[in-house]
Amino acid sequence: MPEQNGTRNRTNRRGFLESIGTTSVAGGLAAVLAQRDIVQPVAAASATDPSVFAVDETADPDATFPQSVASGGPTSSGAILWTRIAPSAVVSEEPIGVQVATDDSFEEPVYEGTVPADRLSSTHDYTVKVDLDGVLESDRRYYYRFVYDGVATRTGRCRTLPAAGASPDSLSFAVLTCQDYQNGYYGAYRHLAAEDVDFVVHLGDFIYESADGAYTSPTTDIKDGRDIDLPSGAGLAESLADFRTLYRTYKGNEFLQEGLEQHTVVHGWDDHEIGNNRYWDEEANAPVLPDTDGGEQPERAMEITADGIQAWVEYVPARVEFDPNESALQDQLRLWRDLQFGDLVDLTVTDERLYRDGPPCGDARITCTDEEAQGRTMLGHEQKQYFTEWVSESDAVWSVWANEVLTMPLTIGDNWSQIELLHDSWDGFQHERWELMQHVADVDPRNFVVLTGDLHASLAGHVKAGYGEIEPFETYDRIGVELMTPAVTSVNAADVVDFPSDWDDDALAELTKDQNDHLEYVDWHQHGYAVVEFTRDHCTYTVYGVDKDADPRDAERSTLARYRTPDGDPSLTEL
C-alpha cells in the first residue's frame, strides 16, 4: 500500500469527501446520499488581506462560535481543523480566517489562510473544515484559531504525526467512548483537557440518537439540564435536523469543548451515531435500525442512515475515504483506515457497523448456535481483506487495532452449556473472528494490541489465536492483549442492576473472571476513560474513574487500574 504523510490507504486522501456522484435507487443508500451536497474539508487560500485577522479582544467567542473548535485527521504534515459559526453571526461576503502558530499568542503565525464566504451556509449547517495536510511540520504541536468578523474562537491545539521513518521513543493515546449526554455530565472531558497525551482515540457513540432518555439508567431520570427537543418531535433522531441538533447540543457543552480544544482526535464510530444495534440487510440491500420507528423499512432506514452519516461528516473532523464513482455506499464511504506513528505504532481503525450482518438468532441467546456460522461477517469482504493486509504489512513495534466492540469472548457456562452474552460483539461472528485471529497468529506481528469500547466497562485480557470454534479456547496461544475503555457517561452495570447490599464493586468482576479465564481485569461500575502509552519497551494501560453524576467542576479523577505489557510478550502485569 502506498504511504502518504503518515497515513496509508489505497487512494490519495486529499480529495476525500468530494461532492457525491449519482446512482440509481437500486444502488441503495448511495442514491440517497448522491442527492446531497456533503461538506468537504477545504485547503484554505493564502491570506492576502491582513484585516481578516483583526480581533476584537473584548468579543465573546461563544456567541459567534457556539461549538468552539476541534481537530482530527492528523497526518505528518497537517490536520483537519473544525468549527461552526452561529447563523445569527453570519455576515454576507465575510471570509473566515484560519491562523496556526507555535505559540498561543499568534504573534508569529506559521500559517494564515482564508476560507471564502460562500463555503459558509445552511447547506452544511454553517460548519467549516480546513485541511492543513502539506502545510505543517511533522511531530509538532501547534495552536490554532478561526477568526470571523473580528471575533476569534477560543484557542485550540493540534498535533501532527511523526514523519515516515521516524523512531519516536513514546506515544500516548487517551481512549474514549460512549458519552450519552442525557445519562451524565462530562467531568471526564475536564480532566482530558489537562491530560498530557499525544492524541485522543474516540471509538464511537460520540452522540446518542435519543432525546427521550431511551438509553439512560432505568433507575433515574434524564439528568438535570440534559433535556433535548428534536425538531421532529420524535424520541429518536429521524431527520437531518434531528441529528444536527444532537451534535450542536453535545458539542455545545463547555467541558466537552475543553477536551476537544486541547487534543487532535482519531475518530471511529459505533451504532448510536445513527441507531442502536444497526446492521446491514444484504437481501434488502439496506440498513436496519431495530430501535428506530420505521427502522426496519428499507427506504425509511436508508433515509435516516443518510441523515446520520451527513451530520457525522459535517460535525466530525475525520480523514476518511470517499469515492463518488462507486455505485454503492459500502464502496463509497470508508471509515476504515490506518495511521503510522513512525516505526513505533501502526494504528488501524475499522468500521464494524456499516457492513455487519444482523444478529445471529434475533433476540435468542440460550438456544442460538448460528453465531458460529461460516459466512457471517462484521467487516464485509473488502474491509476484511484490508485488515488482513494491514496485519501482514504492519512492521511497527506495536500493531494496534482500534476496534469498536469486544473481541474477546464473554461467556457463562462450559462446553455445551456455554452461553455467549454479547451477540452484538465479536461473539456473534465467531467464524470470522477465528479467521482473523488465526491470520494474526500466522503473521505474528511483533506486538498486537486491541483498543475497544462499546461495553461501558473496563476490561483487560488476552487475545488468542482462536475462541473455541475449532478447539477449546484454553488450548490456543496468546497473540496479543485487548484493552477496553469505560464509558464516559453511558449506562453501565451499576446503573442498570440493583446489586445485593453485600456485593461490593469487585463481586461481579470476580464472577466474570471466574467464567472467562482470559480476563485479567474487569470493572463494571466506574465511568471515565483510559490512557494507553507505548514505548519501545512496553505498553501501559491506565484506567481513570470520573464520577458522571458530579458537577464536572468538582468531579475528581481516580486511578482504577494500571497494567503493563512488555515488548514481545502478550502478558498483562498489574502495576
Side-chain angles (χ1 to χ4, degrees):
M1 295 183 181
E3 295 183 7
Q4 180 185 350
N5 294 326
T7 62
R8 185 172 63 203
N9 215 317
R10 64 182 187 87
T11 62
N12 188 309
R13 303 287 185 89
R14 294 294 298 272
F16 72 96
L17 287 174
E18 300 177 33
S19 58
I20 296 178
T22 59
T23 185
S24 66
V25 174
L29 182 54
V32 182
L33 284 175
Q35 304 166 22
R36 302 166 185 248
D37 179 16
I38 294 184
V39 66
Q40 60 177 338
V42 297
S46 297
T48 58
D49 181 1
S51 67
V52 171
F53 303 103
V55 173
D56 177 0
E57 301 294 347
T58 66
D60 177 13
D62 295 342
T64 299
F65 303 97
Q67 280 73 38
S68 193
V69 296
S71 66
T75 69
S76 62
S77 61
I80 298 170
L81 308 183
W82 178 95
T83 192
R84 177 178 179 270
I85 296 175
S88 60
V90 173
V91 177
S92 177
E93 300 184 0
E94 179 72 22
I96 305 150
V98 183
Q99 290 182 306
V100 183
T102 56
D103 65 289
D104 60 5
S105 66
F106 296 94
E107 292 181 358
E108 296 183 2
V110 299
Y111 177 79
E112 288 187 331
T114 59
V115 178
D118 61 6
R119 294 291 306 176
L120 189 62
S121 73
S122 60
T123 303
H124 306 137
D125 204 25
Y126 303 96
T127 59
V128 179
K129 288 183 180 180
V130 174
D131 191 353
L132 298 180
D133 187 30
V135 172
L136 306 178
E137 295 182 12
S138 63
D139 201 17
R140 294 287 300 274
R141 196 183 298 279
Y142 293 91
Y143 296 90
Y144 70 92
R145 67 182 181 183
F146 292 85
V147 180
Y148 186 71
D149 192 30
V151 182
T153 61
R154 292 204 293 274
T155 299
R157 296 192 309 168
C158 65
R159 190 179 181 97
T160 57
L161 302 181
S167 296
D169 293 328
S170 65
L171 176 74
S172 56
F173 298 137
V175 187
L176 283 78
T177 192
C178 301
Q179 51 194 51
D180 187 348
Y181 182 84
Q182 298 193 308
N183 196 62
Y185 303 110
Y186 289 154
Y189 271 97
R190 183 177 69 84
H191 288 284
L192 176 68
E195 192 73 64
D196 184 18
V197 294
D198 295 311
F199 296 92
V200 170
V201 174
H202 201 293
L203 294 169
D205 287 351
F206 187 91
I207 65 162
Y208 274 61
E209 78 278 23
S210 59
D212 61 354
Y215 306 112
T216 59
S217 169
T219 61
T220 61
D221 295 327
I222 295 171
K223 297 298 181 183
D224 290 344
R226 296 305 218 196
D227 294 320
I228 301 173
D229 293 321
L230 297 180
S232 69
L236 300 178
E238 56 182 35
S239 69
L240 179 57
D242 287 350
F243 284 106
R244 285 172 167 173
T245 296
L246 290 167
Y247 280 102
R248 290 198 297 264
T249 301
Y250 278 62
K251 298 192 91 169
N253 178 269
E254 62 175 306
F255 300 104
L256 186 145
Q257 288 177 3
E258 288 179 10
L260 296 185
E261 287 163 3
Q262 296 303 311
H263 301 289
T264 295
V265 183
V266 177
H267 280 279
W269 71 1
D270 202 2
D271 51 344
H272 286 287
E273 281 85 357
I274 295 172
N276 186 42
N277 293 339
R278 59 188 171 101
Y279 62 91
W280 192 269
D281 185 337
E282 287 293 338
E283 184 175 346
N285 193 26
V288 178
L289 311 174
D291 284 8
T292 304
D293 187 25
E296 296 184 352
Q297 301 169 12
E299 291 187 5
R300 178 69 171 146
M302 283 181 178
E303 188 69 33
I304 294 172
T305 303
D307 290 334
I309 288 175
Q310 180 169 344
W312 190 89
V313 170
E314 289 173 343
Y315 276 85
V316 175
R319 190 175 300 277
V320 297
E321 181 183 341
F322 189 82
D323 184 350
N325 297 316
E326 297 287 354
S327 61
L329 177 72
Q330 290 171 314
D331 295 324
Q332 284 187 347
L333 183 64
R334 291 184 178 141
L335 274 70
W336 36 275
R337 63 220 188 262
D338 72 281
L339 300 88
Q340 295 169 294
F341 301 80
D343 67 355
L344 182 62
V345 171
D346 193 358
L347 173 72
T348 190
V349 182
T350 55
D351 178 354
E352 293 163 20
R353 292 295 174 183
L354 193 56
Y355 309 95
R356 67 157 62 205
D357 292 327
C361 300
D363 295 330
R365 286 291 186 272
I366 297 176
T367 60
C368 185
T369 59
D370 291 348
E371 71 272 16
E372 301 176 7
Q374 296 187 30
R376 283 182 50 74
T377 184
M378 183 181 292
L379 299 182
H381 173 74
E382 189 170 358
Q383 186 179 200
K384 179 181 176 182
Q385 182 177 355
Y386 156 81
F387 180 85
T388 57
E389 290 176 357
W390 171 78
V391 173
S392 298
E393 296 175 6
S394 178
D395 57 4
V397 177
W398 301 93
S399 300
V400 182
W401 180 16
N403 161 67
E404 294 160 32
V405 297
L406 185 65
T407 302
M408 299 179 294
L410 193 63
T411 65
I412 56 174
D414 297 304
N415 301 320
W416 292 106
S417 63
Q418 178 174 293
I419 299 171
E420 290 81 13
L421 300 176
L422 302 172
H423 285 168
D424 188 58
S425 76
W426 278 97
D427 274 347
F429 302 83
Q430 293 185 20
H431 188 80
E432 183 171 67
R433 177 178 59 185
W434 177 80
E435 291 179 307
L436 295 178
M437 296 306 101
Q438 283 284 296
H439 178 72
V440 173
D442 291 342
V443 171
D444 192 22
R446 180 165 166 178
N447 296 286
F448 183 62
V449 176
V450 185
L451 304 180
T452 304
D454 179 69
L455 193 53
H456 309 175
S458 48
L459 307 174
H462 302 107
V463 177
K464 294 197 172 185
Y467 289 95
E469 294 86 342
I470 308 300
E471 300 291 342
F473 176 67
E474 59 270 15
T475 65
Y476 287 100
D477 293 333
R478 295 176 179 177
I479 59 172
V481 297
E482 183 163 7
L483 311 172
M484 174 177 282
T485 187
V488 174
T489 58
S490 301
V491 291
N492 60 20
D495 290 329
V496 175
V497 179
D498 185 13
F499 291 104
S501 57
D502 59 344
W503 278 41
D504 60 20
D505 288 1
D506 294 331
L508 184 58
E510 292 304 317
L511 178 62
T512 305
K513 289 193 289 184
D514 286 344
Q515 296 289 313
N516 299 271
D517 292 341
H518 51 283
L519 295 177
E520 292 288 342
Y521 166 73
V522 179
D523 188 305
W524 294 103
H525 292 74
Q526 304 295 325
H527 294 83
Y529 63 97
V531 170
V532 182
E533 181 182 12
F534 301 94
T535 71
R536 309 196 81 80
D537 298 322
H538 52 252
C539 163
T540 303
Y541 160 75
T542 305
V543 185
Y544 294 111
V546 183
D547 185 357
K548 70 176 178 61
D549 296 322
D551 184 317
R553 298 170 186 83
D554 303 323
E556 297 182 355
R557 188 185 76 168
S558 61
T559 301
L560 303 180
R562 295 188 75 214
Y563 282 82
R564 178 162 289 172
T565 298
D567 174 29
D569 178 10
S571 62
L572 287 160
T573 301
E574 186 175 8
L575 301 180

